[in-house]
Amino acid sequence: MNDFFSELVKGLEPYVPGEQPKNKKYIKLNTNENPYPPSPEVIKAIREAANEDLRLYPDPECEDLRKTVSDCYGMKHKQIFVGNGSDEVLAFSFGAFFAGKKIFFPDITYSFYPVYAGLFNVAYEEIPLNKDFEIDAADYFKADGGIIIPNPNAPTSKYLDTNKIEEILKSNSKNVVIIDEAYIDFGGNTCISLLNQYANLLVIHTLSKARSLAGLRVGFAFGSEELISGLDRIKNSFNSYTLDRVALAGAVAALKDDSYFQETKKKIIQTRERTIQALKALNFIVMDSKSNFIFISHKKLEAEFIFKKLRDRGILIRFFNKPRINNFMRVTIGTDREMQVFIKALEKII
Amino acid sequence: MNDFFSELVKGLEPYVPGEQPKNKKYIKLNTNENPYPPSPEVIKAIREAANEDLRLYPDPECEDLRKTVSDCYGMKHKQIFVGNGSDEVLAFSFGAFFAGKKIFFPDITYSFYPVYAGLFNVAYEEIPLNKDFEIDAADYFKADGGIIIPNPNAPTSKYLDTNKIEEILKSNSKNVVIIDEAYIDFGGNTCISLLNQYANLLVIHTLSKARSLAGLRVGFAFGSEELISGLDRIKNSFNSYTLDRVALAGAVAALKDDSYFQETKKKIIQTRERTIQALKALNFIVMDSKSNFIFISHKKLEAEFIFKKLRDRGILIRFFNKPRINNFMRVTIGTDREMQVFIKALEKII
């Protein structure tokens, strides 16, 4: 590797995001985007924010957005941190709470976690999911370091009950426990309500999934004022202005349009349940999902074979060539129409 | 400090950006923003990008924007890195090239540099500007580590000739030399042309100043394909999608509207020269400026006194309470009208 590189950069194994094809010929069920557009109020707010004030720096404190989030979730605005997508919030969290220490997460989970660990010199230990691909809360009791768990987990789509999370929080009072709730809105219950009892809890949300704003890059963390101040310290040592004026305006509008949000979520959940029924009829094993995606395996055909055949037919899904899950596929829930095309394609492949 | 914090976050001394007042009662000459709005083409492009595609992730490779930059500056697009403001590009650069090593920069310079050093475990040594507040190139020959120099320097506004930069590059072939050209468009010559000869050179630009887009958060780095790949490695270990769809569209439009850019720059340079003449008539010492700001000191009155008096009159400038420069003020060049108000206020204060 290049002589100019630092040892840090030499040692990294960067994350590889799902494919983002430049043309639109594909039905995109590979990166868990929302098939519905963002609220019309978001479009309107962004168009209004496209004005001469773009010459001025944005508010580095993101006060308006943080107040909107706090109104939405009934928290103090000092308990909220906002970042350039939840990926940035996660990166800052690794720096603020785990740098030079140790962290635990499931063996099958969001594959960016070990990458953040590499960036901030965090030792990590993967805790295997049980045989049903579930998180066993007891495996995390008295962990010798921090913990990060996505709920629902990705790519398994499985949800862990709030009382199980509470047990983990109770038994790890000296360490930060992050619950990454990127997919919480598709049928799970957020554990934000636990924040007032557990000073070690940090909850992370994103506007990329249920709010249809993957293209705007906005994520949040909820925690005690102290934990939030740690994230602020890292952010203000990295980039004072991580959210542009347009993203700030769009995010505020997205959070204020609750009825659009409820409606979109409901449609996706309904489509998910219909899709699951159709897949089971085709001999697929489908994990219980509380997400906007499903994790499936066929009883006879190999996942990689199906993945490739779908691609040939213009349908992108996600296949992970990794131990334990290399016979599974992760499929984002699209519109009813898209899922019908997907099911028909599977019928032909099978 | 909080028990949950990592040693890293405990040790940081975060950057403090210039004040961003929430109301508009002030004439803002404190954060080097452009007094003119961005190109109308930018506004148009952002409004068009505010569409249903916001549900989709942006292009993580930022190909369109990188191609536009490469057309603009006559480089290969693989020689270009784009980030969420030049502050993010700078942070990634510290991680990619200097983490665990050493870096040299002027004693009076952009005060974010020591902060990045703290974040990425970089030892740093400040090299004093000479008695005229200039960078003496010879002070940087055979440095035992990397180098970062803003050109023009901030807050001094002074410019270093390209041939001096070339001498520094030649005498430090084993280490990365970053030239931070945030203010280069206001009268200096970019050293991008040196890139083909010096593999150790990285040049950093921003759209925040001459392109009037501080509110959109877009910065670039220019370097060899190898150096750019180092920045990519850090970025892809931190956040795959640092620029949202709207910022990408606005940035492309800004770079394509060259005539608006030339016109705005010219107006600012003319206003700067007129302002300098008026200040000299009021007994101010004014450093030679090739920036959109000036660095001034009064022969009789103290800088802090003037700073406070101006604030009382609704005019914000920047005062740094630091050794060597605590009798200076940094003043952004606004519109002709704003600078007339500024000069009149000074006449009354004096």
Side-chain angles (χ1 to χ4, degrees), chain A residues 46-91:
Chain A
I46 292 178
R47 288 184 181 160
E48 279 168 13
N51 64 38
E52 63 175 35
D53 283 351
L54 283 173
R55 74 180 183 83
L56 300 169
Y57 282 97
D59 172 15
E61 309 284 340
C62 307
E63 289 277 338
D64 283 352
L65 176 54
R66 287 164 66 214
K67 280 180 183 149
T68 306
V69 179
S70 74
D71 289 348
C72 215
Y73 290 92
M75 313 287 295
K76 287 186 230 163
H77 86 279
K78 288 198 168 180
Q79 290 185 273
I80 291 149
F81 177 85
V82 306
N84 183 30
S86 62
D87 281 347
E88 185 178 83
V89 180
L90 286 164

Side-chain angles (χ1 to χ4, degrees), chain A residues 2 6 12 15 33-34 47 50 54-55 57 84 95-96 209 215 217 226 233 236 239 241-242 244-245, chain B residues 2 6 12 15 33-34 47 50 54-55 57 84 95-96 209 215 217 226 233 236 241-242 244-245:
Chain A
N2 194 283
S6 65
L12 294 173
Y15 178 73
E33 288 142 334
N34 197 307
R47 288 184 181 160
L54 283 173
R55 74 180 183 83
Y57 282 97
N84 183 30
K209 311 297 179 183
R217 319 304 306 125
E226 289 71 26
R233 288 179 67 81
N236 290 321
N239 187 359
Y241 310 93
T242 59
D244 64 57
R245 287 178 166 264
Chain B
N2 194 283
S6 66
L12 294 173
Y15 178 73
E33 289 141 334
N34 198 308
R47 288 183 181 162
L54 283 173
R55 73 180 182 84
Y57 283 97
N84 183 30
K209 310 298 178 185
R217 317 305 305 126
E226 289 71 26
R233 288 179 68 80
N236 290 320
Y241 310 95
T242 58
D244 64 58
R245 286 179 167 264

Side-chain angles (χ1 to χ4, degrees), chain B residues 279-345:
Chain B
L279 287 166
K280 285 183 174 168
L282 290 174
N283 272 322
F284 277 92
I285 296 159
V286 186
M287 292 199 187
D288 292 334
S289 172
K290 297 263 191 221
S291 308
N292 72 335
F293 61 90
I294 48 178
F295 204 49
I296 65 175
S297 180
H298 194 262
K299 288 178 185 164
K300 290 180 181 161
L301 296 176
E302 283 188 3
E304 191 166 10
F305 171 80
I306 297 175
F307 163 75
K308 284 179 179 165
K309 287 286 175 190
L310 283 169
R311 200 187 156 85
D312 293 343
R313 289 170 179 269
I315 300 170
L316 294 181
I317 63 167
R318 195 100 193 244
F319 166 72
F320 301 90
N321 197 2
K322 287 183 180 175
R324 292 189 81 184
I325 57 168
N326 58 9
N327 203 23
F328 281 85
M329 295 152 274
R330 193 192 71 184
V331 183
T332 306
I333 302 300
T335 60
D336 274 326
R337 173 83 193 114
E338 286 172 328
M339 300 321 280
Q340 280 160 14
V341 174
F342 167 69
I343 295 290
K344 281 211 177 118

